[in-house]
Amino acid sequence: MATCWQGLWAYRSYLLVFFLPIFLLPLPILVPTKEAYCAYSIILMALFWCTEALPLAVTALFPIVLYPMMGIMDASEVCIEYLKDSNILFIGGLLMAIAVENWNLHKRIALRVLLIIGVRPALLLLGFMLVTAFLSMWISNTATTAMMVPIAHAVLDQLHRTPTGKDVEEGSDNPTFELQEPSPQKEETKFDNGQVHPVPAASLEPTAQQREELRFSQGMSLCVCYSASIGGIATLTGTTPNLVLQGQVNSLFPQNGNVVNFASWFGFAFPAMAILLLLSWLWLQILFLGFNFRKNFGIGGQAQERARAAFRVIQTEHKLLGPMTFAEKAVSVLFVTLVVLWFTREPGFFVGWGNLAFPDKDGKSMASDGTVAIFIGIILFLVPSKIPGLTPDPENPGRLKAPPALLNWKTVNEKMPWNIVFLLGGGFALAKGSEKSGLSEWLGDKLTPLQNVPSPAIAFIICLLIATFTECTSNVATTTLFLPILASMAQAICLHPLYVMLPCTLAASLAFMLPVATPPNAIVFSFGGLKVSDMARTGFLLNIIGVLVITLAINSWSYPIFNLHTFPSWADTNNTANCLATTPRP
């Protein structure tokens, strides 16, 4: 019997892929309408995304097959959704991120900031959180975490040594400072091997100092992965759900006037990110360092000596990088240029360069944020990585060799997450199919009773629901599934669509409780010293704090940025024609 269950479990992915479509067949057979056909496709994709029976990107390709076969959309219409402007912005943003990583510019920024902030325990936590959050705004949160965690543990290794340089406890000679709780199995081995020298009591039961060091190590690991997730919400390209929102808004509401762009998103999300990051730092400090703030800020002789030792580690790492190369300087200039062009293209509160140089008939910018990202991305392939000169080719004496460009296609091909491009496209196709089939309108009609619920309560409930759902499902899949439904609900109850879509998008990044919730969590968990219960205990309250911060943001400074106090004309469709004539919500 046990072998039978083991066999079923081993083949679970094949069984799910085979039986789920058959199990859901009664829906399109008994209700032969386009709405039911589209619902069948969406439910099937949702289940495959949740169970990961197929790779996420492969499931995202289902609309190309299902929609034409079910008469929902032409194949040519579906395929267009897979390379929209949001996908281009994603690719262009990643080209810059890959260049930053390729020339180690992110490591130089991280070490420089840590040298400025210092290494006293509380400030060390804050320093790593600030650096990780800032880098995560522009490059992958996975890459940021993978770089910052070894640096953090190397610093901790020095911080937890005695002032004389002798190791405080056994195991501290590990350069990555992977403190582990004592294992009963290891203790038995020590007794069973017949060695005559006595085992120190400290190895059987951790001392107060060991427990304190372990807690600090745990706090440092968690601060890196949490701030990587938090930092990504601040910019439109920081994390994929933000681009999903932009793409869904542009797909569902083509006349929205580019309401979600880099500048408007930054104005809304950056304050929320800053508040959440500060509150997270306070919570981690209290939980892992305690309430002794004098000690937390390193006031005392012994603490200062240890801090100086840790500071020297960062200093040494920084010196090993050497002076800034021409390539690093060139990437820095292009990075700053990209950010400035994004902010000034069409900011809204003054006429941007896009409105002046490339206006359409209505005065709107014809160039998008994706245009800017690809423009700078192309330049990365043109600028040499060294000052041009007559450099001899070492492999072919007598010949000259030009320096390589800042970026080459081989590097891009290795580091570009092409699966996310398909995943984004699948989400846009799913949303467009819901609109074309009439499923969005049907859902909107069914959700009209929510009109009696206060708007802040709706936003709060959505945040809680998404924050819970994203702990066990991809944040991209979560936003892809929920955003079209929430848009339909908002239209049905005369609520500004962004009032519910923005909280959903931000809450999808609140994956703090489980190692499997997001790649940064998995990375720090693999370094050791953490149990699932440690992450769950810390992340639970952090999720609550995140929900409250998002609720505050959507009910305060988001109003003037996105005009949430009125129901927009671009969201007015046939089923919401009466919204403009009534008092809008919220």
Side-chain angles (χ1 to χ4, degrees):
M1 187 64 181
T3 306
C4 178
W5 284 113
Q6 288 174 2
L8 289 173
W9 181 253
Y11 284 85
R12 63 190 182 280
S13 296
Y14 296 99
L15 295 172
L16 285 170
V17 171
F18 182 77
F19 285 109
L20 274 179
I22 298 173
F23 179 76
L24 294 172
L25 271 180
L27 175 61
I29 292 174
L30 297 177
V31 188
T33 62
K34 284 189 177 182
E35 293 93 329
Y37 296 156
C38 187
Y40 174 83
S41 305
I42 292 173
I43 295 170
L44 185 63
M45 290 174 68
L47 290 173
F48 280 163
W49 272 334
C50 292
T51 58
E52 294 190 31
L54 287 173
L56 298 180
V58 174
T59 302
L61 297 173
F62 275 29
I64 297 176
V65 178
L66 295 178
Y67 282 3
M69 291 174 62
M70 293 178 167
I72 298 171
M73 291 173 67
D74 289 337
S76 57
E77 288 182 284
V78 181
C79 293
I80 289 173
E81 300 296 320
Y82 282 81
L83 206 61
K84 296 175 73 71
D85 184 63
S86 295
N87 297 70
I88 297 299
L89 176 57
F90 174 76
I91 293 171
L94 276 178
L95 288 176
M96 175 53 71
I98 290 168
V100 170
E101 287 182 51
N102 191 45
W103 294 105
N104 245 2
L105 184 60
H106 59 322
K107 187 173 183 179
R108 185 180 295 277
I109 294 170
L111 294 172
R112 189 64 193 166
V113 172
L114 289 174
L115 285 174
I116 294 170
I117 291 177
V119 291
R120 294 173 180 177
L123 293 179
L124 192 64
L125 273 179
L126 179 62
F128 270 95
M129 292 185 77
L130 288 175
V131 171
T132 308
F134 174 76
L135 293 175
S136 187
M137 289 165 59
W138 313 105
I139 66 176
S140 152
N141 56 9
T142 305
T144 303
T145 307
M147 180 198 72
M148 294 300 294
V149 172
I151 296 175
H153 283 266
V155 170
L156 284 172
D157 185 30
Q158 295 299 318
L159 194 63
H160 290 160
R161 290 177 187 269
T162 60
T164 60
K166 187 180 177 181
D167 293 341
V168 175
E169 302 292 345
E170 71 170 36
S172 63
D173 56 342
N174 187 339
T176 56
F177 193 65
E178 297 180 35
L179 279 179
Q180 300 282 354
E181 292 185 346
S183 168
Q185 187 177 354
K186 291 179 181 178
E187 293 165 16
E188 289 173 8
T189 305
K190 289 182 179 179
F191 286 108
D192 291 342
N193 63 13
Q195 293 181 358
V196 294
H197 60 270
V199 178
S203 66
L204 297 177
E205 186 177 350
T207 63
Q209 185 176 355
Q210 276 184 309
R211 287 194 295 269
E212 182 181 316
E213 291 176 1
L214 177 60
R215 283 198 302 272
F216 189 26
S217 177
Q218 292 171 337
M220 187 65 73
S221 295
L222 291 174
C223 89
V224 171
C225 68
Y226 290 163
S227 52
S229 296
I230 293 169
I233 70 176
T235 59
L236 196 57
T237 56
T239 187
T240 316
N242 303 352
L243 290 170
V244 173
L245 169 73
Q246 186 198 41
Q248 298 278 25
V249 170
N250 292 339
S251 178
L252 296 171
F253 310 109
Q255 306 302 319
N256 71 83
N258 198 24
V259 65
V260 179
N261 55 46
F262 194 90
S264 65
W265 178 268
F266 189 84
F268 163 68
F270 182 79
M273 183 276 287
I275 295 171
L276 182 54
L277 194 69
L278 178 62
L279 294 176
S280 303
W281 172 60
L282 292 173
W283 168 235
L284 289 170
Q285 186 183 165
I286 291 169
L287 188 63
F288 293 102
L289 297 180
F291 289 93
N292 188 345
F293 294 106
R294 179 181 173 85
K295 184 178 180 182
N296 294 350
F297 283 88
I299 300 173
Q302 186 176 350
Q304 287 179 353
E305 290 186 32
R306 289 179 176 176
R308 279 194 292 269
F311 186 80
R312 284 194 294 272
V313 172
I314 300 175
Q315 227 170 14
T316 304
E317 287 288 325
H318 188 261
K319 285 180 181 177
L320 287 174
L321 293 175
M324 279 191 78
T325 62
F326 175 80
E328 288 177 279
K329 292 176 183 177
V331 171
S332 300
V333 170
L334 289 173
F335 173 74
V336 173
T337 304
L338 175 62
V339 175
V340 171
L341 289 175
W342 268 339
F343 273 111
T344 57
R345 180 186 63 83
E346 198 174 28
F349 51 90
F350 67 84
V351 179
W353 60 264
N355 307 99
L356 292 173
F358 311 104
D360 61 7
K361 61 180 181 180
D362 299 320
K364 300 287 185 181
S365 171
M366 294 186 70
S368 68
D369 290 332
T371 307
V372 177
I374 292 297
F375 173 68
I376 298 294
I378 292 173
I379 292 177
L380 289 168
F381 288 93
L382 299 176
V383 177
S385 57
K386 294 179 182 178
I387 299 175
L390 301 178
T391 308
D393 188 352
E395 296 179 3
N396 299 294
R399 294 187 178 182
L400 299 179
K401 182 181 180 182
L406 293 173
L407 209 55
N408 60 73
W409 188 251
K410 182 181 178 183
T411 304
V412 171
N413 196 40
E414 289 172 355
K415 295 188 176 182
M416 179 71 72
W418 298 108
N419 58 322
I420 302 297
V421 177
F422 292 118
L423 192 54
L424 278 169
F428 301 149
L430 187 149
K432 181 60 74 172
S434 299
E435 181 190 359
K436 291 278 188 180
S437 67
L439 180 62
S440 296
E441 185 178 348
W442 180 84
L443 279 172
D445 292 338
K446 298 301 178 185
L447 294 170
T448 48
L450 289 174
Q451 194 160 12
N452 299 320
V453 180
S455 303
I458 293 176
F460 181 74
I461 292 168
I462 288 170
C463 287
L464 281 178
L465 174 65
I466 301 300
T468 304
F469 201 78
T470 196
E471 291 290 350
C472 51
T473 311
S474 158
N475 55 8
V476 183
T478 301
T479 46
T480 298
L481 290 171
F482 279 94
L483 285 177
I485 298 172
L486 294 175
S488 302
M489 179 194 74
Q491 289 178 297
I493 63 178
C494 298
L495 189 64
H496 196 300
L498 289 180
Y499 186 81
V500 290
M501 297 175 81
L502 289 171
C504 170
T505 305
L506 291 187
S509 294
L510 303 181
F512 300 135
M513 288 182 62
L514 298 174
V516 296
T518 187
N521 292 10
I523 289 172
V524 300
F525 193 78
S526 67
F527 263 75
L530 280 171
K531 294 183 290 187
V532 176
S533 58
D534 297 323
M535 190 172 283
R537 184 181 73 250
T538 311
F540 176 76
L541 186 61
L542 211 53
N543 271 358
I544 301 300
I545 293 172
V547 167
L548 293 176
V549 169
I550 294 170
T551 306
L552 170 67
I554 199 64
N555 288 292
S556 52
W557 62 83
S558 64
Y559 270 69
I561 295 174
F562 296 107
N563 258 341
L564 296 186
H565 54 278
T566 60
F567 186 83
S569 57
W570 49 260
D572 183 41
T573 58
N574 292 333
N575 64 311
T576 59
N578 62 327
C579 289
L580 297 176
T582 58
T583 303
R585 298 176 63 193

